Amino acid sequence: MRLYRILVGAIVVFTSSANSRFPPVARIENHTHTISQKRAQAIKEAFEFAWYGYQTFAFPNDELHPINNSFSDSRNGWGATAVDALSTAILMESQDVVTTILKYIPSINFNVSKGNQPVSLFETTIRYLGGMLSGVDLLTGPYQHLTESPDDVTALKLQALSLANKMKFAFDTPTGIPANNLNFKGENYDPFQPTGLAVAGTLILEWTRLSDMVHVPDFANLTQHAENYLLLPTYKNATIQPLLGLRGTSIDLSTGDFLDTKGGWGGGDDSYYEYLIKMFVYDPAHFSDYKDEWLQAVKSSATSEISSHPYSRPDLTFLTNWNGQDAILRSSHLACFAGGNWILGGLVLGNQTLIELGQNLTDSCAEIYTATITGIGPETWSWEDEEFFDGDEFEEDRSTKENGFIITDPMYDLRPEVLESLYYAYRATGDKKYQDWSWNTFKAINTTCRTGSGYSAISNVNVTHGGNFSNFQESFMFAETFKYAWLIQAEDSKVHVAKMGEEQTWVFNTEAHPLKVRSQQAQQ
Ligand SMILES: *[C@@H]1O[C@H](CO)[C@@H](O)[C@H](O)[C@H]1NC(C)=O
Ligand SMILES: *[C@@H]1O[C@H](CO)[C@@H](O)[C@H](O)[C@H]1NC(C)=O
Ligand SMILES: *[C@@H]1O[C@H](CO)[C@@H](O)[C@H](O)[C@H]1NC(C)=O
Ligand SMILES: *[C@@H]1O[C@H](CO)[C@@H](O)[C@H](O)[C@H]1NC(C)=O
Ligand SMILES: *[C@@H]1O[C@H](CO)[C@@H](O)[C@H](O)[C@H]1NC(C)=O
Ligand SMILES: *[C@@H]1O[C@H](CO)[C@@H](O)[C@H](O)[C@H]1NC(C)=O
Ligand SMILES: *[C@@H]1O[C@H](CO)[C@@H](O)[C@H](O)[C@H]1NC(C)=O
Ligand SMILES: *[C@@H]1O[C@H](CO)[C@@H](O)[C@H](O)[C@H]1NC(C)=O
Ligand SMILES: *[C@@H]1O[C@H](CO)[C@@H](O)[C@H](O)[C@H]1NC(C)=O
Ligand SMILES: *[C@@H]1O[C@H](CO)[C@@H](O)[C@H](O)[C@H]1NC(C)=O
C-alpha cells in the first residue's frame, strides 16, 4: 500500500515536470531519485546565478564583491574565480560557463603578478594549477562533449605547465623544501621565513599529476623530495616530539627541521594529512608508505585527547588543536574536512572502523550547524571535557550545556568542509540523512549569504540574517561549496568518489578539483 502511494506520487511529480531527458519508465520507478535530481538542479541554478554575477561585475578579476558589484584581485589577478569554477561547471554540464572559462584561460599571463603581490605557492597550486589540471582530465575523460576543439585542452595543459615552470624556483632552497611567499618579479623569497606543514605537504598531488600529464618528471620529483622531510621528520628541539604520526607546523628551509610540535587537523596542518591518503588513492603501489603514515596519524588522533567529547554531550567528537604537549579544547570549520578524509581512508582500505570514526566527526560537525539560528556553523568553537569541567553547573554557559560547545568566532566564510564530509559520508553509507542534512545546509547558506549579485561571507552565524555581510565572495565557493552540495544529490554524475569495494578512478584535490588517478590515465 505504502509502495503504491509512493509510485503514484512519483507519477504526479513527473507528469508535471518539463524535464524530458529521462525516459518515463525510469521516472515512475524511483521517487527518491527525483527528489535529489530536483535538489541538484536547484543547486546548479544557484551556481549559475553566482557565476553570472561574477561574470557581469568582476570577470576576469579574482573575486566579486557582491553587495556593491565591485571586485578585487587577492589571488594575483589571474581570474581565480573563473579558474576555480571550471571543474564545477564541467561536472554540472553548464556549457556556456565552461565555454567562457575555456576561452579566457589561454589569455592569462602567469609570469606577472598583479601589483607585484607575493604569490602563494600553496594557494596558487590548489586553486589555479589544480583547476586547470582537472579541466584537462575531465575534458579528455567523460566530458569531452563540452569542448569543441582539442586546442582548448592543449591550452589548459600549456598554461598549467607555464605556471608550474614559473613557480619552480620556490624549491631552490638549501633543502629543497619550498618557500611559500614568492616574489615573481625578482624570482626570490625570504629564506628565513619558515614554511608550513600544509604548504610543503599539499603540492604533491597536483605537481605529480602535472608530471604524469606532460611526461616531465621534475615537478613530481621536487615535491616528493620535499615531502621526504615530512615523512621522516627531525625536530630542532628533539626533547619534545608530537604524538606518533603527527607533525609540528613550521619547517626551517635551510635545515629541514621542524621548529615546533604544535599542530592537529586544522588550518596550516590539515592538507598534509589529507594528501597522505589521497596519494595512496592516486597510486596505491607507489605511495603505500604515505598510507602507513596517514593511518598512524589517524590512530594517534582517534585514541588520544585529540579526539575530545564535550562533558555535556559525550556523543559528540571534535578534533582539538594540539599545542605541542597538550590538547587545547578548540576546533574549527577547516578541521571538519577530517571526517570525510577518514571515511575516504576507510573506503580505500576497506576499514569499517575508520568509516565509523569519520562519521562520528562528520555528524558532530553537522551539529554545529543545527545549533545556530541561521543553520550555518561558525568558524571556531570550544568546549569542556570531563577532565576540564569543574563540576559547577551554574557557572557554565547555557550554550555549553545545551549544545556541548560555545562559539568562539561566529563568522562564516562560505567554507565547504562540512558539505564535503557529508558527501563522503553519503558515498560510504548510502544513508539518505546525509543528503537531507546537506540540502538543509545548502538552503541555509542560500537564505543567509545570498545578497546582491552573489554570496557573501557573514559576521555571525548565530543572529538572525547572519549579522553583517563582509561583501567578499571567495573563489573556493565555486570550486568546493557548490560542488560538494551538488554532488551528494547528483547520483548520476559521471565523476564520484567510489563506494566500498569499487575502484577509485578520481581523487579530489583539497580545492575539490577532481584528478584522474594514475591507473586511469590514458596516454596524453
Ligand atoms: C532509487 O534511487 C536511489 C538513489 O539513486 C537508489 O539508491 C535506489 O537504489 C533506487 N531505487 C530503485 C528501486 O531503483
Ligand atoms: C613567461 O615566461 C616564459 C619564460 O621566460 C616564456 O617562455 C613565456 O613566453 C612567458 N609567457 C608569457 C605569456 O609572457
Ligand atoms: C626523478 O625521480 C626519478 C625516480 O626517483 C629518477 O629516476 C629521475 O632521475 C628523477 N628525475 C629528475 C629529473 O631528477
Ligand atoms: C627543549 O624543550 C624542552 C622541553 O620543553 C625545554 O626544557 C628545553 O629548554 C628546550 N631546549 C631548547 C634548546 O630550546
Ligand atoms: C582500521 O582502522 C583502525 C582505526 O584507525 C585501526 O586501529 C586499525 O588498525 C585499522 N585496521 C587495519 C586492518 O588497518
Ligand atoms: C561513534 O560515536 C558513538 C556515540 O558516541 C560511539 O558509541 C561509537 O563508539 C563511536 N564509534 C567509534 C568507531 O568510535
Ligand atoms: C544561538 O543563540 C540562541 C539564542 O540566543 C541560543 O539559545 C543558542 O544556544 C545559541 N547557539 C550557540 C551554538 O551558541
Ligand atoms: C536560493 O535563493 C533564491 C533567492 O531567494 C531562491 O529563488 C532559490 O530558490 C533558492 N535556492 C535554493 C536551493 O534554496
Ligand atoms: C555590524 O557592523 C556594525 C558596524 O561595524 C556593528 O556595530 C554591529 O555590531 C555589527 N553587527 C553584528 C551582528 O555583528
Ligand atoms: C565596494 O565595497 C568594498 C569593500 O566592501 C570597498 O573596498 C569598495 O571601495 C567598494 N567599491 C565601490 C565602487 O563602492
Side-chain angles (χ1 to χ4, degrees):
M1 199 53 211
R2 193 180 148 71
L3 181 65
Y4 177 70
R5 266 194 278 127
I6 291 171
L7 288 179
V8 171
I11 292 166
V12 172
V13 168
F14 279 118
T15 45
S16 64
S17 155
N19 190 337
S20 61
R21 255 179 58 222
F22 303 93
V25 163
R27 292 187 207 171
I28 292 162
E29 268 174 2
N30 203 327
H31 181 71
T32 36
H33 205 114
T34 330
I35 294 172
S36 52
Q37 278 171 349
K38 291 194 160 181
R39 290 171 173 177
Q41 183 57 36
I43 295 161
K44 179 178 174 180
E45 274 161 24
F47 170 82
E48 289 183 342
F49 161 76
W51 168 265
Y52 286 110
Y54 164 78
Q55 182 178 306
T56 308
F57 300 110
F59 181 63
N61 293 281
D62 284 344
E63 59 274 308
L64 170 73
H65 296 181
I67 293 179
N68 62 359
N69 297 335
S70 134
F71 59 80
S72 55
D73 286 300
S74 76
R75 299 285 163 214
N76 313 102
W78 298 318
T81 294
V83 180
D84 245 357
L86 177 62
S87 68
T88 304
I90 293 174
L91 293 191
M92 292 178 174
E93 303 190 67
S94 197
Q95 178 73 67
D96 289 349
V97 180
V98 172
T99 305
T100 304
I101 299 171
L102 287 179
K103 216 159 116 190
Y104 161 67
I105 287 178
S107 73
I108 304 172
N109 183 354
F110 283 116
N111 288 345
V112 178
S113 163
K114 189 158 182 175
N116 290 323
Q117 279 178 75
V119 176
S120 161
L121 175 66
F122 168 80
E123 297 286 355
T124 307
T125 293
I126 67 173
R127 301 191 200 214
Y128 288 107
L129 196 57
M132 293 189 288
L133 296 174
S134 180
V136 174
D137 275 345
L138 295 169
L139 294 169
T140 53
Y143 296 94
Q144 287 175 25
H145 57 284
L146 295 180
T147 168
E148 276 169 18
S149 159
D151 294 349
D152 290 341
V153 176
T154 308
L156 281 182
K157 222 187 281 184
L158 289 175
Q159 283 291 52
L161 187 57
S162 114
L163 177 57
N165 270 325
K166 179 70 191 179
M167 288 197 292
K168 240 170 35 178
F169 72 88
F171 294 86
D172 192 9
T173 65
T175 52
I177 296 171
N180 188 50
N181 289 318
L182 310 177
N183 168 11
F184 264 24
K185 198 164 175 207
E187 300 211 345
N188 56 30
Y189 50 81
D190 176 358
F192 301 108
Q193 184 174 20
T195 272
L197 176 66
V199 167
T202 312
L203 313 164
I204 186 162
L205 176 59
E206 294 83 356
W207 289 61
T208 300
R209 180 69 194 99
L210 175 64
S211 273
D212 290 348
M213 194 180 275
V214 299
H215 308 294
V216 177
D218 305 38
F219 307 109
N221 285 20
L222 287 170
T223 50
Q224 288 175 27
H225 174 78
E227 184 93 18
N228 287 337
Y229 286 90
L230 312 181
L231 296 173
L232 297 166
T234 56
Y235 287 86
K236 181 145 193 252
N237 181 348
T239 350
I240 40 170
Q241 305 229 339
L243 299 174
L244 206 57
L246 295 173
R247 298 289 182 267
T249 295
S250 289
I251 307 159
D252 185 324
L253 292 182
S254 60
T255 61
D257 288 342
F258 277 89
L259 299 172
D260 60 54
T261 51
K262 289 192 293 234
W265 291 77
D269 304 302
D270 42 12
S271 40
Y272 158 70
Y273 302 108
E274 176 184 352
Y275 274 24
L276 290 175
I277 193 68
K278 287 186 170 177
M279 291 315 289
F280 178 75
V281 176
Y282 186 74
D283 185 344
H286 197 265
F287 294 103
S288 137
D289 47 337
Y290 286 52
K291 177 260 295 172
D292 296 340
E293 278 303 317
W294 180 84
L295 194 56
Q296 189 57 65
V298 172
K299 275 189 196 171
S300 285
S301 303
T303 55
S304 67
E305 311 96 284
I306 287 182
S307 286
S308 173
H309 314 287
Y311 77 89
S312 63
R313 288 291 308 275
D315 55 315
L316 298 179
T317 309
F318 297 128
L319 295 180
T320 66
N321 293 342
W322 183 254
N323 73 2
Q325 276 163 317
D326 292 304
I328 306 171
L329 301 187
R330 196 171 300 150
S331 197
S332 61
H333 200 289
L334 286 168
C336 283
F337 86 97
N341 188 245
W342 293 17
I343 291 170
L344 173 64
L347 281 173
V348 297
L349 301 176
N351 185 327
Q352 196 58 41
T353 309
L354 286 169
I355 292 181
E356 278 168 32
L357 288 167
Q359 267 184 277
N360 279 357
L361 295 180
T362 302
D363 294 3
S364 305
C365 282
E367 289 239 10
I368 64 152
Y369 273 60
T370 49
T372 69
I373 287 169
T374 56
I376 302 174
E379 179 75 357
T380 61
W381 59 95
S382 68
W383 62 94
E384 293 192 335
D385 63 11
E386 295 256 295
E387 193 184 331
F388 281 71
F389 177 53
D390 61 9
D392 188 352
E393 296 262 356
F394 297 103
E395 290 288 307
E396 297 309 308
D397 186 282
R398 233 186 71 222
S399 173
T400 314
K401 253 189 277 179
E402 283 172 9
N403 308 311
F405 67 94
I406 55 163
I407 295 172
T408 44
D409 180 352
M411 68 101 71
Y412 172 66
D413 196 19
L414 306 173
R415 291 196 191 287
E417 291 76 20
V418 174
L419 290 166
E420 172 181 359
S421 286
L422 291 172
Y423 169 65
Y424 282 94
Y426 180 58
R427 295 301 294 171
T429 63
D431 189 337
K432 301 241 172 267
K433 82 177 178 200
Y434 291 114
Q435 278 183 320
D436 294 342
W437 289 356
S438 176
W439 174 242
N440 291 339
T441 297
F442 184 78
K443 280 195 300 186
I445 294 168
N446 189 56
T447 301
T448 309
C449 303
R450 183 160 165 154
T451 177
S453 53
Y455 293 78
S456 168
I458 53 171
S459 67
N460 192 339
V461 294
N462 207 30
V463 297
T464 324
H465 308 308
N468 294 319
F469 290 119
S470 74
N471 193 21
F472 196 83
Q473 179 179 262
E474 275 281 2
S475 76
F476 58 64
M477 169 116 196
F478 290 83
E480 303 184 74
T481 313
F482 283 121
K483 187 182 284 115
Y484 287 123
W486 181 82
L487 268 177
I488 193 173
Q489 311 294 347
E491 311 261 3
D492 294 337
S493 173
K494 298 184 182 81
V495 169
H496 266 306
V497 168
K499 297 178 179 173
M500 182 70 102
E502 294 170 2
E503 196 191 348
Q504 299 291 339
T505 53
W506 296 89
V507 58
F508 290 73
N509 89 335
T510 191
E511 190 81 354
H513 296 304
L515 299 171
K516 263 185 210 163
V517 304
R518 214 172 237 169
S519 65
Q520 298 293 311
Q521 295 166 19
Q523 288 305 308
Q524 284 160 346

